[in-house]
Amino acid sequence: MLIQKPTDIQPSEITPPELYARRREFMKTAAVLGAAALLPPTLRGRLAQAETDEDLKLTPYKDVTSYNNFYEFGTGKTDPAENAGSLKTKPWTVVVEGHCEKPGSYALEDFLAPHAPEERIYRLRCVEAWSMVIPWLGIPLTKILPRFQPTTSAKYVEFITLLDPEQMPGQRTRILDWPYVEGLRMDEALHPLTLLATGLYGKELPNQNGAPLRLVVPWKYGFKSIKSIAKIRFTEQRPRTTWNESAPHEYGFYANVNPDVDHPRWSQKKERRIGDFFRRDTLPFNGYATQVAGLYAGMDLHKDF
Ligand SMILES: Nc1nc2c(c(=O)[nH]1)N[C@H]1C(S)=C(S)[C@@H](COP(=O)(O)O)O[C@H]1N2
Ligand SMILES: [Mo]
């Protein structure tokens, strides 16, 4: 809903923190007027709820950067903020490989060079039933991937976090099978909402949030939004993904936010917005159904959860 046309925003227009509140007022009005009219009445009701003032209130910078999941730096929510200082993000290399015409090893600056960062305000819904609203800076993946000329065999995109137990103390434990790996179907990767984030709140991405480059897929549970990406691979087969491998009955490959499919150990019907007292309803596709539901037409979302 808050998607801006890439051509509409220049780096100079990125909102300084003090202007966020005013700009949000404007965007809220624009988004409601723009998006609601096309919907069937049932979804319209849910969207109306999604677009209330409360729903778009940004989670404070302090919470976004001190309440994190990043198991490479520990499993406690404050561990990443405390421990991620050991990650060296400069220089950074992104390896692109697999089914494409232009594989290679790219310095991050070159990988990002042709693109201006855009601002996107997205809800982030963790599978653990908490959520935030985060103003990201980043580049739509759909602008980046075609540069590497994926071939017709490229059906999926696999993303791999840096593997370096020296810098990432969590990787010295066996809590997960390292490195952390995630994946998207090609059409999901090329959807205009899918972002490769390089910053938040108008600043560089803090290490605990996945510096220097992390994925943001706002309609999926947060674990799909893999941090500190070192490798991107075009594959023909569906890639194995970390949480799905670790507990296949609890975490699916698709991981679309869905209040109608509970986690085996807890309900997904509601969520706690960080900073709120009362829980709120979880929305299908995290409130982005109008944009993304078509990607899953004909699929049984209870089976492909
Ligand atoms: N490499 C890596 N990426 C990761 C994780 C992780 O442990 N390691 N945690 C995921 C989970 S479960 C969530 S909810 C989000 C949290 O992102 P945030 O800390 O920026 O809010 O990051 C995701 N990306
Ligand atoms: Mo999560």
Side-chain angles (χ1 to χ4, degrees):
M1 278 130 251
L2 294 174
I3 182 168
Q4 293 159 297
K5 275 197 255 106
T7 45
D8 288 352
I9 188 164
Q10 296 300 316
S12 61
E13 292 178 40
I14 286 164
T15 319
E18 62 277 13
L19 291 181
Y20 271 104
R22 264 175 44 207
R23 187 160 164 282
R24 211 164 61 240
E25 281 306 304
F26 165 75
M27 290 181 68
K28 184 187 67 195
T29 314
V32 170
L33 293 178
L38 305 162
L39 302 178
T42 46
L43 274 178
R44 211 180 294 158
R46 279 173 146 167
L47 181 71
Q49 182 192 358
E51 295 296 350
T52 59
D53 209 13
E54 269 306 290
D55 190 72
L56 294 177
K57 196 169 85 191
L58 299 185
T59 304
Y61 183 81
K62 188 159 188 320
D63 293 332
V64 173
T65 58
S66 64
Y67 185 94
N68 301 99
N69 274 335
F70 199 171
Y71 277 22
E72 285 84 340
F73 297 102
T75 56
K77 290 289 180 278
T78 57
D79 288 346
E82 284 161 23
N83 302 330
S86 56
L87 177 65
K88 198 166 168 257
T89 60
K90 288 174 188 151
W92 191 268
T93 303
V94 181
V95 172
V96 180
E97 60 182 37
H99 293 284
C100 66
E101 305 289 355
K102 297 252 151 57
S105 183
Y106 299 87
L108 182 64
E109 297 72 38
D110 300 332
F111 181 83
L112 296 173
H115 315 283
E118 302 173 24
E119 183 176 78
R120 298 282 179 90
I121 298 171
Y122 286 157
R123 292 177 289 275
L124 175 85
R125 175 37 163 100
C126 177
V127 75
E128 298 163 336
W130 53 264
S131 63
M132 299 191 185
V133 179
I134 304 177
W136 301 104
L137 287 180
I139 295 154
L141 194 56
T142 189
K143 289 189 166 182
I144 295 182
L145 292 187
R147 280 171 44 214
F148 304 100
Q149 300 176 20
T151 68
T152 52
S153 304
K155 303 282 194 270
Y156 295 86
V157 191
E158 182 179 0
F159 303 86
I160 303 164
T161 294
L162 181 72
L163 178 63
D164 187 350
E166 299 270 306
Q167 297 187 59
M168 296 178 146
Q171 291 180 342
R172 295 174 220 155
T173 75
R174 289 172 158 259
I175 184 100
L176 289 172
D177 186 10
W178 310 110
Y180 195 103
V181 177
E182 259 307 334
L184 295 172
R185 228 168 49 190
M186 189 59 91
D187 59 342
E188 299 176 315
L190 295 178
H191 190 280
L193 286 175
T194 305
L195 198 68
L196 265 187
T198 54
L200 55 82
Y201 267 100
K203 303 185 219 198
E204 261 184 25
L205 211 53
N207 285 2
Q208 59 268 34
N209 294 94
L213 190 69
R214 63 92 56 87
L215 189 66
V216 181
V217 194
W219 70 94
K220 293 178 179 285
Y221 290 120
F223 67 83
K224 296 295 289 183
S225 292
I226 181 175
K227 296 177 169 182
S228 303
I229 296 167
K231 198 179 281 185
I232 296 176
R233 184 186 289 144
F234 296 99
T235 70
E236 182 150 29
Q237 306 301 325
R238 188 166 107 177
R240 294 138 65 100
T241 55
T242 296
W243 278 106
N244 178 241
E245 289 249 291
S246 157
H249 300 292
E250 303 192 1
Y251 310 105
F253 172 80
Y254 283 96
N256 294 317
V257 174
N258 190 345
D260 300 328
V261 176
D262 287 338
H263 186 281
R265 292 183 279 130
W266 59 82
S267 166
Q268 294 291 26
K269 288 203 180 350
K270 287 186 177 284
E271 66 199 58
R272 188 170 62 89
R273 181 67 51 83
I274 297 303
D276 283 3
F277 183 73
F278 292 107
R279 294 195 304 160
R280 65 177 64 214
D281 288 349
T282 286
L283 302 171
F285 299 101
N286 201 24
Y288 302 96
T290 48
Q291 293 100 318
V292 302
L295 293 171
Y296 310 102
M299 279 175 57
D300 179 350
L301 299 178
H302 289 261
K303 199 171 125 268
D304 281 317
F305 61 94

